[in-house]
Amino acid sequence: MQSDPDSGAMASEGRFAAAVQIDGAPAARYRQRFGWALIPIVTASGFAGLGYEIVWTRQLSLALGTEMMAVLGAVAGFFGGLAIGAFALDGPIRRARSPRTVYAALEAVIGLWGVVNVWLLPIAGRALAPLLGTEPAPALLWAASFALPTLVLLPATVAMGGTLTVLERMMREARGDARVSAGVYGANTAGAVAGTLVSTFVLIPAFGLSGTLVCLAGVNVLCALGTLALGRDSDRTMAAADEARPGTIGELRLIITLFATGLLGIGFEVLVVRLAAQVMQDTVYTFAGLLAAYLLGTSAGGLIWQRAGRHTRDGHLGWLLAATALACLTTACLAPYIARIAETAVEAGIVGELAVAMALFLMPSTAMGALFGLLAQRVRDQRGSLGWAVGINSIGASMAPLLTAQFLIPAFGAWLALIPIALGYLLLLPFRRAALVWAAAPAILALALWVRPTPSLIRVPPGGGLLAVREGPMVTASVVDDASGARYLEVNGRFRMGGTSSVRSDYRQAMLPLLLHPAPHRALFLGIGTGATVVGGSQMPGVTVRGVELSREVVELLPWFASPATARPAPRLAVADARRFVAADSDQYDVIVADLFHPALDGSGSLYTVEHFEAVKKRLSPGGVFCQWLPLYQLDLPSLRAIVRAFLEVYPEGSAWLNHYSVRTPMLALIGPRDGSNLDLAALAAQLRDPAVSSVVRPLGFEAPIDLLGQYLGGPRALSAFAGEGPRNTDDYPFVTFDARRNVSALTAPPWSLLLAVTRAMRPDPAELLAAPQRDALGDRLGAYWQARNRFLEAGAALPGDPRGSALIGAASPGLLDAIRLSSEFDPAYGPLIGMAKSLMASDRAGAARLLREINDAAPSRGEARELLAREFGQ
C-alpha cells in the first residue's frame, strides 16, 4: 500500500479539532458544512472558466481570423496553457499547507488577468495581423495562432490548470473521502454548462466582451473570498484514502489512456459540431447550445460515476471504454437523420436547437465524463493529486482539433470520421478475454456503418441534382441545380451564395460602386460567392480586380459558374479571412466592395463593425469608395440600424442605394466615400457615354445617369435619422452577432418587409447627392423618379401569391400604371407594362388595346404605347 503523501498533516488537524471540541462531533459538523459550502465555489469556478473561453475565443477570432488554422491554433494554445498549469502546479498544491490560500491566489490571478485582457488581447491581435501578412502559409498561421493565446493568456490559463486540482484536495479533506475526483469534476463542469449559456445568452449581449470579462473577474473574486471566508484549513489528508486501492492501472497505460481520451473526446466534439453546422442555423447560439450539451453530458457522467461507481478497477475501465465507443457510434447512426430532426425543432427556436444538440451529444459525452472521472480518480489514488490527469488529458485535447481538421475530415469526411474515433476507444481496452465481449457490439456496429454509403446532408430540390461537393475542415460547399436547370452554390447545405439565375444582379453589385467612382483603376472584393461579382467588376475597362474568399472549398467550385466573360484575365483571388486580410494589407484601392454576408451566421457580424470599417477606410486611395452590401431579406430592423450607426461613425458622408427593384431578394448598399463630396454627375455621364463602358453596363440597365441615381435611397442626414439612437456594432459590443435569433426569424418574414420599412422611413434629398447646378437641373426629375420607384416596390410587395399570365397582368398593372404616372422615365414599370400588352395581343386583343391606352394616358410623353396602338389596332 502506498503511503499518503499528506499524512503528516493529520497531527496538526487533530490538535485543531481538540481545541475546538472534546468529543469530535462539532469538527465533523464543521467539515460537513465546509464540504457543502465548497460545492457552489466548485461550480462557480467552472462557470467563470468557460465564460472566459467563450469571450477569449471571440477576441482571438477578431485578431487572427476565422480560417481553420487560426481557430485550431487558438484552441491548442488555450488547452496548452491548461496543461502547463496542471503539471506545474500539481506538486505545489499537494505540498501546500493551506490549499484555501492557494486556490484564492489562483482565482485572483485569473480574475486580474481577465481584466488585463480587456486591453491586452485586442492590442496583441492588432499588432500580429500585419506581421502575418495577407496570405500567410498555413503552418505560420497555426504557429502564430498558437503562440498568441499561449503567451498572452498564459498567466490565466496556467492558473486555471491548477484550480481543479486544488478544489479536489479541499473537497477531499472536507468530506473525509478520498474518492471525490469524479464528483468535483462533474460539479465543475456543471458550472461550465451554466457559464457557456449565461455568457452567450445574457452577459455578452448585455455588457459586450469587455463587460463580460469584468463580470467573470467578479466571479473569480467571489470564489476567492468565499473560500477564505469558510475558515481555516482542516489540514486533513485521510489515511483512509489509501486503505483500499482496487485494481491497478499501469502508469504507462494510464498516461496513454488519459492522452487518448482527451484527443478522442475533443475530436468527437469537433466532428459533431461540424456535422451540425450543415443542418442547424450555425449562429453563435447554435455553437453555445452544442457546447453546453457536450459539457452537460460530461458533467452528468462525472456526477453519476461519483454517485454510483467510484471504483477504478480495470473491469470498470473496460466497459466504460466500450460504452463510450458504442455511444459515439449511436450518434453516427443518428447523424443522417438530424436534418429532419432539426427541421422539426426549428419552430421551437433556441429550445429546438438545444434539443437537437442534446440528441447528438448527451449519450457519448455522459460516457466520456464517467470515463474521465474514473481515470482522474485512479491518478489521485496513485499520485495523491489530480493535476497530472488534467495535464495529460489537456495535451491530448490541444492536439485534437488540428488532427481532426487536417487528417480525419480530409481522409474520411466528417461523418465517416466518427467511426475511427469510436474505434480509438476500443483500442484502449485492456488486453484480456473480457475485452472481446465488451468490444463485440461497438465493433459490429462500426463495421455496419463503414460499409454503408456515406449519407449526404445536402438537400436537393425535387427534380434537381447534386453536381459537385467539396468537404473541408470548416465548410461543405456544394453545387446544386433545381428542376428549372438553375445552378446555385450552397455552403453547409443552408446558405445560398448565388447562382446562375442571379448573375445580372451580381454584376450590378460590382458596377454600382465602380460607376460611383469617377475613374477606378484598382478594386478589392471581400467575399466572392460564385465569382460573378468579381468577374463583373473585371469587365469594367481599365480596372484591376482582386478578390478575397474565406473558404478554399468555395474557390474550388468556381469553375462550375464560369461564363464566357471569364475568358478575360482571371481576377487574382486570395483564400483568407477578410478582416485579417484588410488589416494586414498595405495596398490602396479605388473601390472596395464587401459582399452580402449572412448576418446571423456566426463570424459574419464581425464584418459589419466600426473597427472593420475603419480598417477598410485605411485601404482606400484618395477619392476612394467603399461599398458594403446588406441582404435586407436576411436582416431585422435593429441589426440594420446598428450597422448603419457603425458605418456612419466611420463614413459620416455615407449614403444608401438599392441594387435592383426586386422585392424577393432586396439588397441595400452603404456607400462610404473616403473623402466626403457630392457625386460628380458630369464624370458619371462621361463614363456612361464611353463605348467601352457602355457595352458592359447597358445590358445591366445603366444607360443614363438617372438609371443609376434612381437607386439612391438617402444621404447622411436621411441615414442618420433612420438609424436613430442606439447601439453601434463594434468588436467589443457585437450587436449583430448576438442579434442572430431575430435575424434568423427575419428569414421567415416576407422578404420585402425590411425593404419597405427603409423606403417608407427614408426621404432622399437631391441636395445630399448633387452639387447645386446639377441639383437644379435634375432635382425635380429625380424626386418624381424616386416616388415612382417606391410605388413600384409597394405594388410588388402587394401582389397576392404568385400570379401568372392574365392574373399577373390584372394584379400588377394598376401599381405599375401608378408608378409611370409619377415618372414616365421609370423604365422598370414602363417596360413590363408594354410587355404585358404585347403578351395579351395573342389571347385578348381588346384587353391589350385597353392596357395600351391606359399606358399612353399615364405616360403621354413616351411614344411606345401610342406606336403599338397605331400599328396593331389602327388607333
Side-chain angles (χ1 to χ4, degrees):
M1 182 176 70
Q2 179 181 330
S3 63
D4 193 311
D6 291 330
S7 59
M10 292 186 66
S12 63
E13 182 191 347
R15 288 191 295 270
F16 170 65
V20 174
Q21 38 77 37
I22 297 176
D23 60 9
R29 287 194 297 272
Y30 166 76
R31 287 197 304 271
Q32 185 178 32
R33 289 196 302 270
F34 187 86
W36 282 110
L38 274 177
I39 293 176
I41 294 175
V42 171
T43 305
S45 179
F47 177 100
L50 254 293
Y52 281 122
E53 183 178 351
I54 294 288
V55 175
W56 288 338
T57 300
R58 301 227 147 258
Q59 289 181 310
L60 288 166
S61 70
L62 294 172
L64 300 169
T66 54
E67 294 121 310
M68 177 52 71
M69 297 308 292
V71 174
L72 298 180
V75 172
F78 185 83
F79 277 111
L82 295 180
I84 293 171
F87 286 125
L89 298 174
D90 185 52
I93 289 171
R94 275 187 294 154
R95 295 187 295 270
R97 294 182 58 84
S98 175
R100 290 185 309 110
T101 304
V102 173
Y103 175 73
L106 293 178
E107 290 288 357
V109 169
I110 296 169
L112 175 62
W113 209 249
V115 174
V116 168
N117 273 291
V118 169
W119 300 279
L120 180 60
L121 193 55
I123 291 172
R126 286 194 294 271
L128 181 64
L131 298 177
L132 287 173
T134 57
E135 299 177 75
L140 174 61
L141 181 57
W142 184 90
S145 302
F146 174 80
L148 180 65
T150 300
L151 297 176
V152 175
L153 302 179
L154 193 62
T157 53
V158 165
M160 287 179 179
T163 53
L164 190 65
T165 303
V166 70
L167 284 169
E168 188 274 345
R169 177 180 167 184
M170 289 193 298
M171 183 65 75
R172 167 169 40 94
E173 295 175 357
R175 300 290 290 270
D177 185 347
R179 292 192 172 89
V180 298
S181 299
V184 172
Y185 169 68
N188 189 259
T189 309
V193 175
T196 300
L197 296 176
V198 173
S199 294
T200 304
F201 286 84
V202 180
L203 294 179
I204 300 177
F207 305 112
L209 300 182
S210 296
T212 300
L213 287 176
V214 173
C215 291
L216 295 172
V219 174
N220 296 130
V221 171
L222 290 176
C223 288
L225 295 177
T227 305
L228 295 175
L230 290 177
R232 59 172 294 175
D233 296 283
S234 65
D235 290 332
R236 177 180 178 86
T237 306
M238 294 293 297
D242 300 305
E243 285 181 359
R245 298 181 180 280
T248 302
I249 302 175
E251 184 158 312
L252 177 59
R253 184 163 157 246
L254 189 56
I255 292 174
I256 294 172
T257 305
L258 276 166
F259 173 83
T261 51
L263 179 73
L264 296 170
I266 298 300
F268 176 83
E269 181 192 3
V270 170
L271 290 173
V272 174
V273 169
R274 175 70 180 77
L275 287 168
Q278 297 184 55
V279 297
M280 300 171 76
Q281 295 296 340
D282 203 14
T283 69
V284 62
Y285 300 109
T286 302
F287 176 74
L290 290 165
L291 179 58
Y294 177 80
L295 293 171
L296 180 63
T298 306
S299 170
L303 293 172
I304 291 170
W305 189 254
Q306 175 70 32
R307 184 76 175 172
R310 301 195 297 166
H311 295 301
T312 59
R313 295 186 178 91
D314 277 7
H316 292 143
L317 175 63
W319 70 257
L320 271 178
L321 287 167
T324 304
L326 186 61
C328 291
L329 293 170
T330 302
T331 293
C333 293
L334 180 65
Y337 307 101
I338 57 175
R340 299 178 192 173
I341 299 171
E343 288 175 1
T344 303
V346 72
E347 295 182 1
I350 296 298
V351 175
E353 288 207 329
L354 286 173
V356 174
M358 296 284 285
L360 292 170
F361 270 129
L362 191 59
M363 286 179 57
S365 59
T366 298
M368 293 173 190
L371 180 58
F372 182 76
L374 181 151
L375 294 170
Q377 187 59 58
R378 181 70 266 176
V379 170
R380 160 69 195 107
D381 289 346
Q382 293 185 185
R383 300 182 68 90
S385 182
L386 204 61
W388 193 72
V390 174
I392 294 292
N393 195 256
S394 296
I395 291 176
S398 70
M399 298 176 63
L402 181 64
L403 293 177
T404 303
Q406 297 301 305
F407 174 70
L408 285 180
I409 293 178
F412 302 104
W415 179 79
L416 201 60
L418 291 171
I419 299 174
I421 290 287
L423 294 177
Y425 285 102
L426 296 184
L427 292 176
L428 297 173
L429 285 169
F431 298 109
R432 57 183 62 184
R433 185 179 304 172
L436 296 176
V437 178
W438 296 325
I444 293 170
L445 181 56
L447 179 61
L449 291 173
W450 188 266
V451 299
R452 67 157 286 177
T454 301
S456 174
L457 298 179
I458 300 169
R459 290 167 291 186
V460 178
L466 179 60
L467 303 180
V469 179
R470 295 290 185 275
E471 186 172 20
M474 291 191 71
V475 303
T476 296
S478 57
V479 180
V480 181
D481 67 0
D482 59 23
S484 68
R487 184 178 298 175
Y488 55 87
L489 174 68
E490 276 193 344
V491 171
N492 284 341
R494 298 186 63 84
F495 303 105
R496 191 169 297 188
M497 311 298 286
T500 54
S501 62
S502 63
V503 169
R504 186 173 186 272
S505 172
D506 295 338
Y507 276 32
R508 286 175 64 97
Q509 283 181 246
M511 289 304 168
L512 187 144
L514 288 171
L515 288 171
L516 290 176
H517 190 286
H521 297 292
R522 303 192 68 206
L524 175 66
F525 288 80
L526 304 177
I528 61 175
T530 62
T533 306
V534 175
V535 170
S538 68
Q539 308 309 301
M540 180 67 84
V543 176
T544 301
V545 168
R546 189 174 190 185
V548 181
E549 172 56 46
L550 175 63
S551 302
R552 185 173 300 278
E553 294 75 23
V554 169
V555 174
E556 291 174 356
L557 293 177
L558 291 182
W560 285 91
F561 301 92
S563 66
T566 59
R568 299 190 181 194
R572 180 183 173 188
L573 302 181
V575 179
D577 177 84
R579 273 186 63 112
R580 205 200 65 251
F581 183 95
V582 169
D585 198 8
S586 58
D587 289 339
Q588 299 284 301
Y589 302 92
D590 299 311
V591 177
I592 298 178
V593 182
D595 204 356
L596 302 164
F597 305 119
H598 192 318
L601 185 63
D602 194 12
S604 293
S606 63
L607 294 168
Y608 297 127
T609 64
V610 170
E611 291 81 1
H612 178 57
F613 292 154
E614 288 174 338
V616 169
K617 191 172 186 178
K618 293 176 182 177
R619 303 274 66 80
L620 289 174
S621 57
V625 172
F626 172 49
C627 172
Q628 175 65 69
W629 286 104
L630 299 174
L632 296 183
Y633 51 95
Q634 294 174 337
L635 271 168
D636 74 321
L637 187 57
S639 279
L640 175 59
R641 284 176 165 157
I643 294 170
V644 171
R645 294 183 201 108
F647 191 84
L648 288 175
E649 179 168 323
V650 181
Y651 302 96
E653 297 300 319
S655 56
W657 302 68
L658 289 175
N659 181 28
H660 48 60
Y661 302 129
S662 167
V663 296
R664 300 291 177 181
T665 55
M667 304 173 193
L668 178 73
L670 296 177
I671 299 294
R674 175 182 147 165
D675 311 308
S677 61
N678 292 112
L679 177 67
D680 188 340
L681 189 59
L684 174 60
Q687 281 194 84
L688 294 176
R689 287 194 302 269
D690 184 332
V693 174
S694 177
S695 65
V696 174
V697 302
R698 185 179 293 269
L700 304 178
F702 297 125
E703 297 185 26
I706 199 166
D707 296 322
L708 179 68
L709 302 181
Q711 314 292 127
Y712 181 77
L713 285 175
R717 288 196 296 273
L719 269 177
S720 180
F722 169 76
E725 297 294 328
R728 301 161 304 139
N729 192 51
T730 67
D731 284 355
D732 189 60
Y733 189 73
F735 181 89
V736 174
T737 296
F738 288 86
D739 193 39
R741 285 175 288 180
R742 285 191 300 224
N743 285 321
V744 167
S745 298
L747 297 175
T748 61
W752 53 80
S753 300
L754 189 55
L755 169 66
L756 297 186
V758 172
T759 57
R760 290 167 182 171
M762 295 184 65
R763 292 291 178 264
D765 182 358
E768 291 193 277
L769 177 63
L770 302 172
Q774 300 165 340
R775 181 171 67 248
D776 295 339
L778 200 59
D780 292 340
R781 290 172 57 198
L782 273 178
Y785 196 98
W786 291 332
Q787 291 182 49
R789 175 199 66 199
N790 292 351
R791 180 67 186 95
F792 178 85
L793 295 174
E794 295 278 354
L799 284 178
D802 190 19
R804 303 285 180 176
S806 59
L808 174 61
I809 294 173
S813 59
L816 300 185
L817 289 167
D818 287 344
I820 62 173
R821 287 189 189 99
L822 293 167
S823 172
S824 60
E825 294 182 275
F826 190 69
D827 278 339
Y830 195 92
L833 282 169
I834 294 294
M836 291 176 183
K838 290 179 178 179
S839 69
L840 281 174
M841 289 179 188
S843 59
D844 183 4
R845 290 184 62 81
R850 183 169 56 252
L851 180 57
L852 285 171
R853 286 193 295 271
E854 291 176 341
I855 296 172
N856 186 59
D857 291 341
S861 61
R862 300 189 63 157
E864 293 96 319
R866 224 171 15 255
E867 291 171 4
L868 275 173
L869 279 169
R871 185 172 67 246
E872 298 292 335
F873 300 99
Q875 298 182 16

